Amino acid sequence: MTKSTSMLPFSCTVCGLRTCTAVSLFPFNDHRRPALTPLLYCIDCRSAHFNHEPRNDDSLDWHKRVLQRNFEWSALLLRKLSQFGSPRRVIDIGCGIGTWLHFLDTQGISGLGFDTNLTLVAHARKTLDLDLRGEIFTAENPAARAFDADLLTAIMVMEHLSKPRALAEQIARYCVRQGSRFYVTVPWFEDLRHLDFDDESKEHSVFNDVGAHVSYFSREGMIRMFDDFGMRTVGTVSGLAWSGLLFEPHAGLAPGGPHAPVGPA
């Protein structure tokens, strides 16, 4: 029996399969040329992505403006996550100025942050006295390994990545080795109904920043991506702005054991 092969032109950045096709054109919100960018939709995991490079303009002023709001959201998130067990040591990936870690510190929870924006990291070190690293998180990072986190988080980060599977693999490798859990939240993509997009509307849209957000995850796609690297869902956190999924290593992938399996690139 011959196995069928997809003839679609693009690979999905979430599930890794060649099952994407262009379904719509979207206007940039940052005055790029050409003015339109095609949205590629995966018929398999029902996620979507753009092929353009994400705009990187994560400003310090913006983080300062939303600090109090995010501090309040952090309190709600910790209450929700604590239903699955209270964390003791948290690594936050894409931590910005460290608002989430700052809140955790007030609750007696240790934190370590990673962010490639050196301006944000320097500000947090100076004003909040947080342990933040201006570098990309990897499973083999010496500081991360020594910290021995029981929870990793990525809060509104992965939508900015053009190759999210690379980070997912690093997170899974760390969690499998250390026996950690991982919580992720993104602007969830609820299938093609989002194509009813009106750039003039004041209502929230998952496509509210096409220039900066390039990966759009369905929950199914996120679950399958981490499953490829040895992680399973523990539960769903809902009822807050940072709604998301909590993952842990598959049963049998014990701490200190072999690395998580590698799925499609």
Side-chain angles (χ1 to χ4, degrees):
M1 184 175 182
T2 303
K3 183 177 180 181
S4 63
T5 301
S6 170
M7 300 299 291
L8 293 180
F10 302 102
S11 295
C12 178
T13 60
V14 178
C15 71
L17 301 179
R18 195 174 179 85
T19 47
C20 284
T21 189
V23 292
S24 185
L25 289 172
F26 278 76
F28 280 112
N29 60 330
D30 54 12
H31 310 292
R32 286 193 221 183
R33 293 292 181 269
L36 297 175
T37 182
L39 180 73
L40 308 177
Y41 176 72
C42 178
I43 64 170
D44 199 78
C45 78
R46 298 199 292 271
S47 297
H49 71 279
F50 294 108
N51 267 343
H52 64 258
E53 285 301 309
R55 185 186 71 250
N56 184 10
D57 61 354
D58 210 7
S59 73
L60 177 57
D61 286 342
W62 182 83
H63 280 274
K64 288 180 177 178
R65 287 198 302 272
V66 299
L67 189 149
Q68 184 57 42
R69 181 204 72 180
N70 286 354
F71 197 82
E72 295 169 359
W73 287 0
S74 295
L76 181 55
L77 176 58
L78 181 60
R79 286 200 298 272
K80 295 278 188 175
L81 286 174
S82 294
Q83 298 173 10
F84 300 93
S86 299
R88 298 175 296 104
R89 302 177 67 80
V90 176
I91 289 177
D92 189 30
I93 300 165
C95 60
I97 62 171
T99 307
W100 166 234
L101 295 178
H102 176 44
F103 172 77
L104 293 177
D105 184 59
T106 68
Q107 306 302 302
I109 299 170
S110 300
L112 174 64
F114 289 86
D115 201 294
T116 57
N117 188 316
L118 300 183
T119 300
L120 303 183
V121 169
H123 174 81
R125 286 173 174 169
K126 180 179 179 180
T127 61
L128 300 175
D129 193 28
L130 296 171
D131 187 1
L132 306 189
R133 310 300 170 102
E135 55 194 282
I136 296 172
F137 170 84
T138 67
E140 304 306 321
N141 181 277
R145 293 192 67 165
F147 187 74
D148 194 22
D150 56 5
L151 177 67
L152 278 64
T153 57
I155 299 172
M156 297 298 174
V157 170
M158 298 190 79
E159 67 272 17
H160 295 270
L161 304 180
S162 58
K163 298 178 180 179
R165 289 180 65 84
L167 177 59
E169 182 178 3
Q170 292 299 314
I171 290 169
R173 287 183 182 274
Y174 184 95
C175 290
V176 169
R177 184 182 59 233
Q178 310 291 139
S180 314
R181 286 178 168 181
F182 170 63
Y183 181 74
V184 61
T185 178
V186 294
W188 296 104
F189 180 72
E190 304 296 348
D191 218 344
L192 293 177
R193 68 179 180 81
H194 283 298
L195 296 186
D196 294 329
F197 172 72
D198 180 1
D199 198 32
E200 302 300 322
S201 173
K202 295 182 180 179
E203 295 183 8
H204 173 74
S205 168
V206 72
F207 295 111
N208 64 351
D209 196 349
V210 167
H213 299 172
V214 292
S215 292
Y216 294 82
F217 300 84
S218 68
R219 286 175 172 81
E220 176 190 354
M222 185 73 80
I223 290 169
R224 286 177 54 181
M225 181 174 71
F226 276 95
D227 181 70
D228 282 344
F229 299 118
M231 302 282 283
R232 65 180 182 184
T233 49
V234 179
T236 300
V237 174
S238 58
L240 70 166
W242 290 341
S243 296
L245 297 169
L246 182 64
F247 291 88
E248 69 180 8
H250 278 297
L253 294 178
H259 284 321
V262 177

